[in-house]
């Protein structure tokens, strides 16, 4: 399987996410300093600050997945489902180049991680 295109996209994503995370953390810190300087808008500052960190957390999670995909390219297991080793649909990899699971197992895992409805 030719992984050159996927590798390029993943390296680009990795760089973009790293930059974004650094910016988010930096703006989070700035707001902490602003809050200390201007106690009047404390609640507003608190809110936007926590949003920044949540976004940074989401980026960090995605960055981990992108980096894991790059490692799979290096060791030759890229494009294979982590559960059963089956081929991941190339259409899925085009849309989600860091996908670690085939569509079937992704759905199963999502269903398993969803909170069970309480009756
Ligand atoms: Zn699978």
């Amino acid at each position: 399987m030719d992984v050159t295109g996927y590798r390029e996209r993943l390296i680009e994503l990795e760089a973009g996410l790293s930059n974004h995370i650094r910016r988010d953390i930096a703006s989070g810190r700035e707001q902490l300093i602003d809050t200390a300087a201007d106690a009047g808008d404390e609640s507003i500052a608190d809110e936007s600050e926590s949003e920044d960190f949540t976004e940074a957390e989401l980026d960090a999670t995605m960055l981990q997945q992108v980096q894991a995909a790059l490692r799979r390219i290096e060791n030759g297991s890229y494009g294979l489902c982590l559960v059963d080793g089956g081929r991941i649909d190339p259409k899925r990899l085009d849309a989600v180049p860091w996908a670690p699971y085939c569509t079937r197992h992704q759905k199963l895992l999502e269903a398993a991680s969803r909170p069970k409805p309480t009756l």
Side-chain angles (χ1 to χ4, degrees):
M1 141 175 218
D2 182 16
V3 297
T4 317
Y6 295 118
R7 183 194 272 134
E8 273 170 23
R9 281 181 65 194
L10 285 163
I11 287 171
E12 236 170 73
L13 275 165
E14 187 189 24
L17 285 165
S18 303
N19 282 337
H20 198 185
I21 290 167
R22 270 198 296 275
R23 262 206 312 277
D24 282 348
I25 291 170
S27 77
R29 279 202 196 119
E30 261 168 47
Q31 274 157 5
L32 280 178
I33 296 160
D34 285 352
T35 310
D38 180 10
D41 290 332
E42 212 172 300
S43 58
I44 297 164
D46 278 354
E47 251 169 54
S48 60
E49 180 196 311
S50 61
E51 265 169 35
D52 276 344
F53 278 111
T54 307
E55 207 185 300
E57 275 162 17
L58 286 175
D59 285 344
T61 306
M62 194 169 151
L63 180 63
Q64 277 171 9
Q65 289 179 314
V66 166
Q67 286 171 335
L70 281 166
R71 279 198 296 275
R72 290 197 297 277
I73 286 178
E74 297 312 318
N75 70 26
S77 65
Y78 180 76
L80 303 177
C81 172
L82 287 187
V83 177
D84 60 4
R87 269 289 178 85
I88 299 174
D89 186 347
K91 271 190 241 120
R92 175 164 161 74
L93 288 175
D94 285 339
V96 189
W98 58 90
Y101 305 111
C102 66
T103 314
R104 190 164 71 91
H105 284 115
Q106 181 68 44
K107 278 192 186 131
L108 285 173
L109 287 163
E110 274 169 17
S113 69
R114 210 172 290 145
K116 288 190 175 66
T118 44
L119 297 172

